[in-house]
Amino acid sequence: MGKIFICLSTLLFAFNFSVGMAFGLSDIERLGKKIFKDKNLSLYGNQSCKTCHHPGAGFVDKENRFDPYNSVVSTGSDGISVGGRNAPTAAYAGFSPVFHWDAGAGGYVGGMFWDGRATGENLLDPLAEQAQGPFLNPVEMAMPDIATVVAVVATSNYAPGFLAVFPETDFNNPVETYDNMARAIAAYERSSEVTRFSSRFDLFWEQCKLVGVDVSTIDMTTNLAGLPQDILSISQLKGLALFNDPAKGNCAACHLTTDHVDPSGNVYPPLFTDFTYDNLGIPKSLNVSIADNPVDYGLGGRADIQQVQQWGKFKVSTLRNIAKTRPYGHNGYFATLETIVNFYNTRDVRPWAPPEVAQNVNTTELGDLGLTPMEERLLVVFMKSLNDQ
Ligand code: HEC
Ligand code: HEC
């Protein structure tokens, strides 16, 4: 299966360059794309999923990407309301498993959103379950109820497509239709148009596979000249070695660089997350409304969790397309990659503002890495190889 995926993704890679995007979507993926882009599904007809998850910004909010110092959270359909968190990417999210306790890892894993609250238990798919939130969220698309959302779909120009994909649809049964809308959106988010695996890094990973090199083993002891050349720059190769090395960046401890193997045994390139939760000790963002959200306890603040041991923890982000998704962190505290890397390196030895949540700050894996300014730069340069083409 691994082989099949490699051939396919090489093909997609070549094809993406010549033909561009509207390529090869299945019927359900195409339907999901129409729903994803439909602004009529918001209260004032001015906002779609794409507004905050735009392909031109690695599937995050474009306004934030282009003004990461001042605009760190998204504005809702009403043009006034803002949420308390930075929009994460909708790409690659679909690999997150149903939220569960992992005894081996000694922590929670999976789910959707920064705190995993779209667990996936209802639809057995966190990505689909997540897609049911924004339409009704008052600070996002702000529709009054499911029936109103479904009524828009029933009169849309893609209603016939909906009936073709879900022939049993009865638009007068909004609950079932709403579930199928979410499944279609999730199919699109998982499609090769969103979850592309078309970065320089992916090309490098494929070439490494062909010569039997596991990219997760590349560290400070590796002879970089012996690796496939002319795909990543020499600085990026050095950055990858720092990223993996436990005695240097140690980034891969959480942002995995091992192959991803899904439950059916399909092999994918690394996802740069293990879908676990951690408190990095990020300070309170002054750009996020304190009135609405005095302290964000993340995972531990969820009504169904409420454990001090989980306070301040947020889901490990994928780093795919990271150079396109400014600002960084759940509250957008860091406007640039340079600053967040500097924070990892110097949190405990420089006068950073105190953590928003003091409990559970991870001091064993980050905070005082002892990296030189050049090494920090190499990590940033490496992360730029994760942009999809
Ligand atoms: C107004 C901006 C806005 C709109 C509109 C919006 N989102 Fe989001 N999205 C966000 C924010 C902010 C978060 C993070 C919220 C949190 O974690 O509490 C988020 C989180 C997500 C995530 C979770 C990713 C992860 O790794 O956990 C996915 C997937 C997603 N949105 C998809 C969608 C879809 C699908 C739609 C349309 C149905 C949509 N969004 C509409 C802002 C938006
Ligand atoms: C102990 C686990 C862990 C380690 C080690 C780690 N990270 Fe993270 N990383 C996280 C978590 C958790 C988040 C999200 C935290 C939040 O926003 O509160 C994150 C977020 C990020 C983000 C922002 C993502 C976004 O979409 O906003 C970047 C960039 C990043 N990490 C890079 C790195 C680099 C570079 C290293 C190595 C120097 C590293 N990380 C080491 C757990 C880790």
Side-chain angles (χ1 to χ4, degrees), residues 58 60 89 91-92 95 195-202 205 255 268-273 317-325 383 385-388:
V60 305
T89 180
Y92 301 96
F95 290 100
T195 297
R196 295 186 203 172
F197 291 108
S198 64
S199 66
R200 303 297 296 174
F201 174 84
D202 291 307
W205 175 86
H255 301 284
Y268 295 87
L271 298 178
F272 294 89
T273 170
S317 329
T318 180
L319 299 182
R320 288 184 165 273
N321 290 311
I322 194 72
K324 297 188 214 168
T325 66
M383 287 191 274
S385 75
L386 304 178
N387 280 352
D388 282 320

PDB file of all heavy atoms in Angstrom, residues 58 60 89 91-92 95 195-202 205 255 268-273 317-325 383 385-388:
ATOM      1  N   GLY A  58      -2.750  28.507   3.602  1.00  0.00           N
ATOM      2  CA  GLY A  58      -2.579  27.186   4.216  1.00  0.00           C
ATOM      3  C   GLY A  58      -3.836  26.740   4.949  1.00  0.00           C
ATOM      4  O   GLY A  58      -3.751  26.055   5.957  1.00  0.00           O
ATOM      5  N   VAL A  60      -5.901  28.574   6.736  1.00  0.00           N
ATOM      6  CA  VAL A  60      -6.270  29.361   7.921  1.00  0.00           C
ATOM      7  C   VAL A  60      -6.820  30.713   7.449  1.00  0.00           C
ATOM      8  O   VAL A  60      -6.979  30.943   6.247  1.00  0.00           O
ATOM      9  CB  VAL A  60      -5.086  29.582   8.910  1.00  0.00           C
ATOM     10  CG1 VAL A  60      -4.482  28.256   9.324  1.00  0.00           C
ATOM     11  CG2 VAL A  60      -4.044  30.530   8.353  1.00  0.00           C
ATOM     12  N   THR A  89      -5.264  25.110  10.862  1.00  0.00           N
ATOM     13  CA  THR A  89      -5.510  24.709   9.483  1.00  0.00           C
ATOM     14  C   THR A  89      -6.549  23.589   9.403  1.00  0.00           C
ATOM     15  O   THR A  89      -6.599  22.705  10.267  1.00  0.00           O
ATOM     16  CB  THR A  89      -4.203  24.264   8.785  1.00  0.00           C
ATOM     17  OG1 THR A  89      -4.521  23.894   7.435  1.00  0.00           O
ATOM     18  CG2 THR A  89      -3.535  23.087   9.469  1.00  0.00           C
ATOM     19  N   ALA A  91      -6.477  21.678   6.779  1.00  0.00           N
ATOM     20  CA  ALA A  91      -5.777  20.636   6.013  1.00  0.00           C
ATOM     21  C   ALA A  91      -5.065  19.687   6.980  1.00  0.00           C
ATOM     22  O   ALA A  91      -4.603  20.120   8.046  1.00  0.00           O
ATOM     23  CB  ALA A  91      -4.763  21.277   5.076  1.00  0.00           C
ATOM     24  N   TYR A  92      -5.008  18.428   6.641  1.00  0.00           N
ATOM     25  CA  TYR A  92      -4.316  17.378   7.418  1.00  0.00           C
ATOM     26  C   TYR A  92      -4.995  17.086   8.756  1.00  0.00           C
ATOM     27  O   TYR A  92      -4.635  16.132   9.434  1.00  0.00           O
ATOM     28  CB  TYR A  92      -2.828  17.721   7.642  1.00  0.00           C
ATOM     29  CG  TYR A  92      -2.089  17.904   6.349  1.00  0.00           C
ATOM     30  CD1 TYR A  92      -1.896  19.166   5.799  1.00  0.00           C
ATOM     31  CD2 TYR A  92      -1.631  16.798   5.626  1.00  0.00           C
ATOM     32  CE1 TYR A  92      -1.258  19.331   4.578  1.00  0.00           C
ATOM     33  CE2 TYR A  92      -0.993  16.958   4.406  1.00  0.00           C
ATOM     34  CZ  TYR A  92      -0.806  18.231   3.890  1.00  0.00           C
ATOM     35  OH  TYR A  92      -0.178  18.398   2.684  1.00  0.00           O
ATOM     36  N   PHE A  95      -6.594  13.469   9.975  1.00  0.00           N
ATOM     37  CA  PHE A  95      -5.901  12.288  10.494  1.00  0.00           C
ATOM     38  C   PHE A  95      -6.041  12.137  12.010  1.00  0.00           C
ATOM     39  O   PHE A  95      -5.668  11.112  12.568  1.00  0.00           O
ATOM     40  CB  PHE A  95      -4.407  12.340  10.134  1.00  0.00           C
ATOM     41  CG  PHE A  95      -4.143  12.135   8.667  1.00  0.00           C
ATOM     42  CD1 PHE A  95      -3.892  13.205   7.830  1.00  0.00           C
ATOM     43  CD2 PHE A  95      -4.156  10.854   8.124  1.00  0.00           C
ATOM     44  CE1 PHE A  95      -3.653  13.014   6.477  1.00  0.00           C
ATOM     45  CE2 PHE A  95      -3.922  10.648   6.770  1.00  0.00           C
ATOM     46  CZ  PHE A  95      -3.667  11.732   5.948  1.00  0.00           C
ATOM     47  N   THR A 195      -5.557  18.338   1.485  1.00  0.00           N
ATOM     48  CA  THR A 195      -4.512  17.580   2.165  1.00  0.00           C
ATOM     49  C   THR A 195      -3.598  17.028   1.075  1.00  0.00           C
ATOM     50  O   THR A 195      -3.782  15.916   0.591  1.00  0.00           O
ATOM     51  CB  THR A 195      -5.171  16.487   3.042  1.00  0.00           C
ATOM     52  OG1 THR A 195      -5.957  17.157   4.046  1.00  0.00           O
ATOM     53  CG2 THR A 195      -4.162  15.587   3.706  1.00  0.00           C
ATOM     54  N   ARG A 196      -2.655  17.868   0.643  1.00  0.00           N
ATOM     55  CA  ARG A 196      -2.001  17.617  -0.646  1.00  0.00           C
ATOM     56  C   ARG A 196      -0.742  16.762  -0.600  1.00  0.00           C
ATOM     57  O   ARG A 196      -0.391  16.141  -1.594  1.00  0.00           O
ATOM     58  CB  ARG A 196      -1.631  18.956  -1.296  1.00  0.00           C
ATOM     59  CG  ARG A 196      -2.842  19.776  -1.653  1.00  0.00           C
ATOM     60  CD  ARG A 196      -2.443  21.019  -2.409  1.00  0.00           C
ATOM     61  NE  ARG A 196      -3.499  22.020  -2.266  1.00  0.00           N
ATOM     62  CZ  ARG A 196      -3.389  23.269  -2.674  1.00  0.00           C
ATOM     63  NH1 ARG A 196      -2.256  23.696  -3.224  1.00  0.00           N
ATOM     64  NH2 ARG A 196      -4.376  24.100  -2.517  1.00  0.00           N
ATOM     65  N   PHE A 197       0.000  16.821   0.454  1.00  0.00           N
ATOM     66  CA  PHE A 197       1.297  16.126   0.504  1.00  0.00           C
ATOM     67  C   PHE A 197       2.159  16.496  -0.712  1.00  0.00           C
ATOM     68  O   PHE A 197       2.734  15.623  -1.361  1.00  0.00           O
ATOM     69  CB  PHE A 197       1.104  14.606   0.572  1.00  0.00           C
ATOM     70  CG  PHE A 197       0.522  14.113   1.864  1.00  0.00           C
ATOM     71  CD1 PHE A 197      -0.785  13.649   1.927  1.00  0.00           C
ATOM     72  CD2 PHE A 197       1.280  14.111   3.039  1.00  0.00           C
ATOM     73  CE1 PHE A 197      -1.330  13.192   3.129  1.00  0.00           C
ATOM     74  CE2 PHE A 197       0.743  13.651   4.246  1.00  0.00           C
ATOM     75  CZ  PHE A 197      -0.560  13.187   4.284  1.00  0.00           C
ATOM     76  N   SER A 198       2.221  17.762  -1.045  1.00  0.00           N
ATOM     77  CA  SER A 198       2.943  18.176  -2.252  1.00  0.00           C
ATOM     78  C   SER A 198       4.087  19.137  -1.946  1.00  0.00           C
ATOM     79  O   SER A 198       4.455  19.966  -2.768  1.00  0.00           O
ATOM     80  CB  SER A 198       1.963  18.832  -3.234  1.00  0.00           C
ATOM     81  OG  SER A 198       1.442  20.017  -2.671  1.00  0.00           O
ATOM     82  N   SER A 199       4.640  19.057  -0.729  1.00  0.00           N
ATOM     83  CA  SER A 199       5.723  19.973  -0.361  1.00  0.00           C
ATOM     84  C   SER A 199       7.078  19.442  -0.840  1.00  0.00           C
ATOM     85  O   SER A 199       7.206  18.278  -1.217  1.00  0.00           O
ATOM     86  CB  SER A 199       5.750  20.144   1.160  1.00  0.00           C
ATOM     87  OG  SER A 199       6.111  18.923   1.769  1.00  0.00           O
ATOM     88  N   ARG A 200       8.093  20.304  -0.764  1.00  0.00           N
ATOM     89  CA  ARG A 200       9.468  19.859  -1.037  1.00  0.00           C
ATOM     90  C   ARG A 200       9.829  18.719  -0.087  1.00  0.00           C
ATOM     91  O   ARG A 200      10.484  17.759  -0.455  1.00  0.00           O
ATOM     92  CB  ARG A 200      10.476  20.998  -0.824  1.00  0.00           C
ATOM     93  CG  ARG A 200      10.262  22.237  -1.619  1.00  0.00           C
ATOM     94  CD  ARG A 200      10.370  22.039  -3.092  1.00  0.00           C
ATOM     95  NE  ARG A 200      11.707  21.630  -3.529  1.00  0.00           N
ATOM     96  CZ  ARG A 200      11.991  21.298  -4.786  1.00  0.00           C
ATOM     97  NH1 ARG A 200      11.058  21.320  -5.723  1.00  0.00           N
ATOM     98  NH2 ARG A 200      13.209  20.943  -5.120  1.00  0.00           N
ATOM     99  N   PHE A 201       9.390  18.858   1.158  1.00  0.00           N
ATOM    100  CA  PHE A 201       9.695  17.824   2.137  1.00  0.00           C
ATOM    101  C   PHE A 201       9.121  16.470   1.696  1.00  0.00           C
ATOM    102  O   PHE A 201       9.757  15.429   1.867  1.00  0.00           O
ATOM    103  CB  PHE A 201       9.148  18.200   3.527  1.00  0.00           C
ATOM    104  CG  PHE A 201       9.328  17.095   4.529  1.00  0.00           C
ATOM    105  CD1 PHE A 201      10.529  16.946   5.211  1.00  0.00           C
ATOM    106  CD2 PHE A 201       8.318  16.159   4.744  1.00  0.00           C
ATOM    107  CE1 PHE A 201      10.720  15.894   6.095  1.00  0.00           C
ATOM    108  CE2 PHE A 201       8.504  15.104   5.632  1.00  0.00           C
ATOM    109  CZ  PHE A 201       9.707  14.967   6.303  1.00  0.00           C
ATOM    110  N   ASP A 202       7.891  16.484   1.137  1.00  0.00           N
ATOM    111  CA  ASP A 202       7.275  15.219   0.716  1.00  0.00           C
ATOM    112  C   ASP A 202       8.071  14.568  -0.416  1.00  0.00           C
ATOM    113  O   ASP A 202       8.225  13.344  -0.464  1.00  0.00           O
ATOM    114  CB  ASP A 202       5.825  15.450   0.286  1.00  0.00           C
ATOM    115  CG  ASP A 202       4.947  15.813   1.481  1.00  0.00           C
ATOM    116  OD1 ASP A 202       4.956  15.059   2.466  1.00  0.00           O
ATOM    117  OD2 ASP A 202       4.297  16.865   1.440  1.00  0.00           O
ATOM    118  N   TRP A 205      11.021  13.049   1.184  1.00  0.00           N
ATOM    119  CA  TRP A 205      10.612  11.824   1.898  1.00  0.00           C
ATOM    120  C   TRP A 205      10.494  10.650   0.918  1.00  0.00           C
ATOM    121  O   TRP A 205      10.951   9.544   1.200  1.00  0.00           O
ATOM    122  CB  TRP A 205       9.276  12.105   2.601  1.00  0.00           C
ATOM    123  CG  TRP A 205       8.644  10.939   3.286  1.00  0.00           C
ATOM    124  CD1 TRP A 205       8.889  10.491   4.555  1.00  0.00           C
ATOM    125  CD2 TRP A 205       7.628  10.071   2.761  1.00  0.00           C
ATOM    126  NE1 TRP A 205       8.088   9.407   4.846  1.00  0.00           N
ATOM    127  CE2 TRP A 205       7.315   9.131   3.769  1.00  0.00           C
ATOM    128  CE3 TRP A 205       6.945   9.990   1.541  1.00  0.00           C
ATOM    129  CZ2 TRP A 205       6.346   8.126   3.591  1.00  0.00           C
ATOM    130  CZ3 TRP A 205       5.994   9.003   1.363  1.00  0.00           C
ATOM    131  CH2 TRP A 205       5.711   8.081   2.377  1.00  0.00           C
ATOM    132  N   HIS A 255       6.132  16.824  17.293  1.00  0.00           N
ATOM    133  CA  HIS A 255       5.800  17.038  15.870  1.00  0.00           C
ATOM    134  C   HIS A 255       6.462  15.907  15.079  1.00  0.00           C
ATOM    135  O   HIS A 255       7.541  16.084  14.496  1.00  0.00           O
ATOM    136  CB  HIS A 255       6.315  18.396  15.403  1.00  0.00           C
ATOM    137  CG  HIS A 255       5.757  19.557  16.190  1.00  0.00           C
ATOM    138  ND1 HIS A 255       4.469  20.032  16.016  1.00  0.00           N
ATOM    139  CD2 HIS A 255       6.303  20.339  17.162  1.00  0.00           C
ATOM    140  CE1 HIS A 255       4.250  21.054  16.832  1.00  0.00           C
ATOM    141  NE2 HIS A 255       5.347  21.270  17.542  1.00  0.00           N
ATOM    142  N   TYR A 268       1.583   7.070   5.013  1.00  0.00           N
ATOM    143  CA  TYR A 268       1.630   8.466   4.553  1.00  0.00           C
ATOM    144  C   TYR A 268       2.931   9.096   5.041  1.00  0.00           C
ATOM    145  O   TYR A 268       3.523   8.640   6.022  1.00  0.00           O
ATOM    146  CB  TYR A 268       0.464   9.260   5.147  1.00  0.00           C
ATOM    147  CG  TYR A 268      -0.892   8.810   4.678  1.00  0.00           C
ATOM    148  CD1 TYR A 268      -1.559   7.791   5.344  1.00  0.00           C
ATOM    149  CD2 TYR A 268      -1.503   9.393   3.575  1.00  0.00           C
ATOM    150  CE1 TYR A 268      -2.809   7.360   4.922  1.00  0.00           C
ATOM    151  CE2 TYR A 268      -2.750   8.972   3.139  1.00  0.00           C
ATOM    152  CZ  TYR A 268      -3.396   7.958   3.821  1.00  0.00           C
ATOM    153  OH  TYR A 268      -4.624   7.532   3.396  1.00  0.00           O
ATOM    154  N   PRO A 269       3.327  10.183   4.405  1.00  0.00           N
ATOM    155  CA  PRO A 269       4.469  10.940   4.937  1.00  0.00           C
ATOM    156  C   PRO A 269       4.133  11.480   6.335  1.00  0.00           C
ATOM    157  O   PRO A 269       2.966  11.491   6.729  1.00  0.00           O
ATOM    158  CB  PRO A 269       4.621  12.089   3.933  1.00  0.00           C
ATOM    159  CG  PRO A 269       3.923  11.648   2.698  1.00  0.00           C
ATOM    160  CD  PRO A 269       2.804  10.769   3.154  1.00  0.00           C
ATOM    161  N   PRO A 270       5.141  11.946   7.073  1.00  0.00           N
ATOM    162  CA  PRO A 270       4.919  12.431   8.442  1.00  0.00           C
ATOM    163  C   PRO A 270       3.864  13.539   8.506  1.00  0.00           C
ATOM    164  O   PRO A 270       3.760  14.359   7.586  1.00  0.00           O
ATOM    165  CB  PRO A 270       6.283  12.993   8.839  1.00  0.00           C
ATOM    166  CG  PRO A 270       7.262  12.338   7.933  1.00  0.00           C
ATOM    167  CD  PRO A 270       6.546  12.016   6.666  1.00  0.00           C
ATOM    168  N   LEU A 271       3.140  13.593   9.611  1.00  0.00           N
ATOM    169  CA  LEU A 271       2.107  14.621   9.799  1.00  0.00           C
ATOM    170  C   LEU A 271       2.580  15.754  10.699  1.00  0.00           C
ATOM    171  O   LEU A 271       1.895  16.746  10.875  1.00  0.00           O
ATOM    172  CB  LEU A 271       0.855  13.988  10.413  1.00  0.00           C
ATOM    173  CG  LEU A 271       0.187  12.908   9.570  1.00  0.00           C
ATOM    174  CD1 LEU A 271      -1.012  12.322  10.319  1.00  0.00           C
ATOM    175  CD2 LEU A 271      -0.246  13.458   8.218  1.00  0.00           C
ATOM    176  N   PHE A 272       3.750  15.602  11.334  1.00  0.00           N
ATOM    177  CA  PHE A 272       4.307  16.639  12.216  1.00  0.00           C
ATOM    178  C   PHE A 272       3.422  16.926  13.415  1.00  0.00           C
ATOM    179  O   PHE A 272       3.419  18.028  13.953  1.00  0.00           O
ATOM    180  CB  PHE A 272       4.636  17.918  11.424  1.00  0.00           C
ATOM    181  CG  PHE A 272       5.749  17.674  10.443  1.00  0.00           C
ATOM    182  CD1 PHE A 272       5.466  17.229   9.152  1.00  0.00           C
ATOM    183  CD2 PHE A 272       7.067  17.806  10.825  1.00  0.00           C
ATOM    184  CE1 PHE A 272       6.493  16.942   8.268  1.00  0.00           C
ATOM    185  CE2 PHE A 272       8.091  17.532   9.942  1.00  0.00           C
ATOM    186  CZ  PHE A 272       7.804  17.093   8.661  1.00  0.00           C
ATOM    187  N   THR A 273       2.659  15.923  13.844  1.00  0.00           N
ATOM    188  CA  THR A 273       1.950  15.993  15.127  1.00  0.00           C
ATOM    189  C   THR A 273       1.692  14.569  15.581  1.00  0.00           C
ATOM    190  O   THR A 273       1.623  13.656  14.761  1.00  0.00           O
ATOM    191  CB  THR A 273       0.607  16.737  15.024  1.00  0.00           C
ATOM    192  OG1 THR A 273      -0.120  16.552  16.252  1.00  0.00           O
ATOM    193  CG2 THR A 273      -0.251  16.246  13.886  1.00  0.00           C
ATOM    194  N   SER A 317       0.036  20.966  17.146  1.00  0.00           N
ATOM    195  CA  SER A 317      -0.370  21.359  15.795  1.00  0.00           C
ATOM    196  C   SER A 317       0.460  20.619  14.765  1.00  0.00           C
ATOM    197  O   SER A 317       1.635  20.343  14.999  1.00  0.00           O
ATOM    198  CB  SER A 317      -0.104  22.854  15.587  1.00  0.00           C
ATOM    199  OG  SER A 317      -0.234  23.566  16.792  1.00  0.00           O
ATOM    200  N   THR A 318      -0.141  20.373  13.607  1.00  0.00           N
ATOM    201  CA  THR A 318       0.683  19.957  12.476  1.00  0.00           C
ATOM    202  C   THR A 318       1.550  21.151  12.092  1.00  0.00           C
ATOM    203  O   THR A 318       1.169  22.304  12.343  1.00  0.00           O
ATOM    204  CB  THR A 318      -0.156  19.533  11.264  1.00  0.00           C
ATOM    205  OG1 THR A 318       0.747  19.146  10.211  1.00  0.00           O
ATOM    206  CG2 THR A 318      -1.036  20.668  10.744  1.00  0.00           C
ATOM    207  N   LEU A 319       2.712  20.916  11.521  1.00  0.00           N
ATOM    208  CA  LEU A 319       3.528  22.046  11.049  1.00  0.00           C
ATOM    209  C   LEU A 319       3.499  22.142   9.521  1.00  0.00           C
ATOM    210  O   LEU A 319       4.231  22.929   8.921  1.00  0.00           O
ATOM    211  CB  LEU A 319       4.961  21.921  11.567  1.00  0.00           C
ATOM    212  CG  LEU A 319       5.090  21.922  13.097  1.00  0.00           C
ATOM    213  CD1 LEU A 319       6.545  21.843  13.517  1.00  0.00           C
ATOM    214  CD2 LEU A 319       4.414  23.145  13.724  1.00  0.00           C
ATOM    215  N   ARG A 320       2.642  21.339   8.898  1.00  0.00           N
ATOM    216  CA  ARG A 320       2.522  21.438   7.438  1.00  0.00           C
ATOM    217  C   ARG A 320       1.946  22.808   7.058  1.00  0.00           C
ATOM    218  O   ARG A 320       1.038  23.293   7.726  1.00  0.00           O
ATOM    219  CB  ARG A 320       1.636  20.299   6.922  1.00  0.00           C
ATOM    220  CG  ARG A 320       2.364  18.969   7.017  1.00  0.00           C
ATOM    221  CD  ARG A 320       1.556  17.851   6.428  1.00  0.00           C
ATOM    222  NE  ARG A 320       2.431  16.701   6.215  1.00  0.00           N
ATOM    223  CZ  ARG A 320       3.159  16.510   5.113  1.00  0.00           C
ATOM    224  NH1 ARG A 320       3.089  17.371   4.115  1.00  0.00           N
ATOM    225  NH2 ARG A 320       3.946  15.469   5.013  1.00  0.00           N
ATOM    226  N   ASN A 321       2.522  23.433   6.032  1.00  0.00           N
ATOM    227  CA  ASN A 321       2.137  24.776   5.560  1.00  0.00           C
ATOM    228  C   ASN A 321       2.335  25.854   6.621  1.00  0.00           C
ATOM    229  O   ASN A 321       1.743  26.931   6.544  1.00  0.00           O
ATOM    230  CB  ASN A 321       0.668  24.794   5.084  1.00  0.00           C
ATOM    231  CG  ASN A 321       0.496  24.010   3.812  1.00  0.00           C
ATOM    232  OD1 ASN A 321       1.250  24.198   2.861  1.00  0.00           O
ATOM    233  ND2 ASN A 321      -0.471  23.121   3.791  1.00  0.00           N
ATOM    234  N   ILE A 322       3.159  25.561   7.621  1.00  0.00           N
ATOM    235  CA  ILE A 322       3.243  26.452   8.772  1.00  0.00           C
ATOM    236  C   ILE A 322       3.717  27.865   8.384  1.00  0.00           C
ATOM    237  O   ILE A 322       3.276  28.855   8.986  1.00  0.00           O
ATOM    238  CB  ILE A 322       4.138  25.831   9.883  1.00  0.00           C
ATOM    239  CG1 ILE A 322       3.972  26.567  11.207  1.00  0.00           C
ATOM    240  CG2 ILE A 322       5.603  25.767   9.483  1.00  0.00           C
ATOM    241  CD1 ILE A 322       2.660  26.323  11.878  1.00  0.00           C
ATOM    242  N   ALA A 323       4.574  27.970   7.359  1.00  0.00           N
ATOM    243  CA  ALA A 323       5.054  29.304   6.982  1.00  0.00           C
ATOM    244  C   ALA A 323       3.930  30.166   6.406  1.00  0.00           C
ATOM    245  O   ALA A 323       4.078  31.385   6.283  1.00  0.00           O
ATOM    246  CB  ALA A 323       6.207  29.190   5.981  1.00  0.00           C
ATOM    247  N   LYS A 324       2.792  29.531   6.052  1.00  0.00           N
ATOM    248  CA  LYS A 324       1.672  30.300   5.481  1.00  0.00           C
ATOM    249  C   LYS A 324       0.583  30.583   6.496  1.00  0.00           C
ATOM    250  O   LYS A 324      -0.465  31.118   6.142  1.00  0.00           O
ATOM    251  CB  LYS A 324       1.016  29.490   4.354  1.00  0.00           C
ATOM    252  CG  LYS A 324       1.882  29.195   3.167  1.00  0.00           C
ATOM    253  CD  LYS A 324       0.992  28.576   2.083  1.00  0.00           C
ATOM    254  CE  LYS A 324       1.730  27.547   1.280  1.00  0.00           C
ATOM    255  NZ  LYS A 324       0.816  26.768   0.437  1.00  0.00           N
ATOM    256  N   THR A 325       0.770  30.179   7.765  1.00  0.00           N
ATOM    257  CA  THR A 325      -0.365  30.247   8.697  1.00  0.00           C
ATOM    258  C   THR A 325      -0.117  31.136   9.918  1.00  0.00           C
ATOM    259  O   THR A 325      -0.553  30.816  11.012  1.00  0.00           O
ATOM    260  CB  THR A 325      -0.789  28.834   9.159  1.00  0.00           C
ATOM    261  OG1 THR A 325       0.280  28.262   9.936  1.00  0.00           O
ATOM    262  CG2 THR A 325      -1.101  27.916   7.990  1.00  0.00           C
ATOM    263  N   MET A 383      11.318  24.495   8.339  1.00  0.00           N
ATOM    264  CA  MET A 383       9.845  24.479   8.355  1.00  0.00           C
ATOM    265  C   MET A 383       9.262  25.048   7.060  1.00  0.00           C
ATOM    266  O   MET A 383       8.160  24.698   6.665  1.00  0.00           O
ATOM    267  CB  MET A 383       9.317  25.208   9.589  1.00  0.00           C
ATOM    268  CG  MET A 383       9.532  24.382  10.868  1.00  0.00           C
ATOM    269  SD  MET A 383       8.658  25.052  12.296  1.00  0.00           S
ATOM    270  CE  MET A 383       9.852  26.237  12.901  1.00  0.00           C
ATOM    271  N   SER A 385      10.138  24.217   4.227  1.00  0.00           N
ATOM    272  CA  SER A 385      10.062  23.146   3.219  1.00  0.00           C
ATOM    273  C   SER A 385       8.744  22.383   3.342  1.00  0.00           C
ATOM    274  O   SER A 385       8.474  21.467   2.577  1.00  0.00           O
ATOM    275  CB  SER A 385      11.236  22.173   3.391  1.00  0.00           C
ATOM    276  OG  SER A 385      11.033  21.331   4.522  1.00  0.00           O
ATOM    277  N   LEU A 386       7.909  22.755   4.307  1.00  0.00           N
ATOM    278  CA  LEU A 386       6.648  22.029   4.537  1.00  0.00           C
ATOM    279  C   LEU A 386       5.461  22.695   3.841  1.00  0.00           C
ATOM    280  O   LEU A 386       4.313  22.287   4.040  1.00  0.00           O
ATOM    281  CB  LEU A 386       6.383  21.919   6.044  1.00  0.00           C
ATOM    282  CG  LEU A 386       7.514  21.270   6.856  1.00  0.00           C
ATOM    283  CD1 LEU A 386       7.167  21.243   8.341  1.00  0.00           C
ATOM    284  CD2 LEU A 386       7.785  19.860   6.359  1.00  0.00           C
ATOM    285  N   ASN A 387       5.722  23.732   3.032  1.00  0.00           N
ATOM    286  CA  ASN A 387       4.649  24.383   2.277  1.00  0.00           C
ATOM    287  C   ASN A 387       4.241  23.525   1.101  1.00  0.00           C
ATOM    288  O   ASN A 387       5.079  23.165   0.264  1.00  0.00           O
ATOM    289  CB  ASN A 387       5.125  25.730   1.713  1.00  0.00           C
ATOM    290  CG  ASN A 387       5.108  26.828   2.753  1.00  0.00           C
ATOM    291  OD1 ASN A 387       4.606  26.644   3.854  1.00  0.00           O
ATOM    292  ND2 ASN A 387       5.648  27.976   2.381  1.00  0.00           N
ATOM    293  N   ASP A 388       2.959  23.248   0.975  1.00  0.00           N
ATOM    294  CA  ASP A 388       2.480  22.563  -0.228  1.00  0.00           C
ATOM    295  C   ASP A 388       2.659  23.475  -1.432  1.00  0.00           C
ATOM    296  O   ASP A 388       2.532  24.693  -1.323  1.00  0.00           O
ATOM    297  CB  ASP A 388       1.005  22.174  -0.060  1.00  0.00           C
ATOM    298  CG  ASP A 388       0.838  20.934   0.812  1.00  0.00           C
ATOM    299  OD1 ASP A 388       1.660  20.013   0.667  1.00  0.00           O
ATOM    300  OD2 ASP A 388      -0.099  20.899   1.636  1.00  0.00           O
TER     301      ASP A 388
END
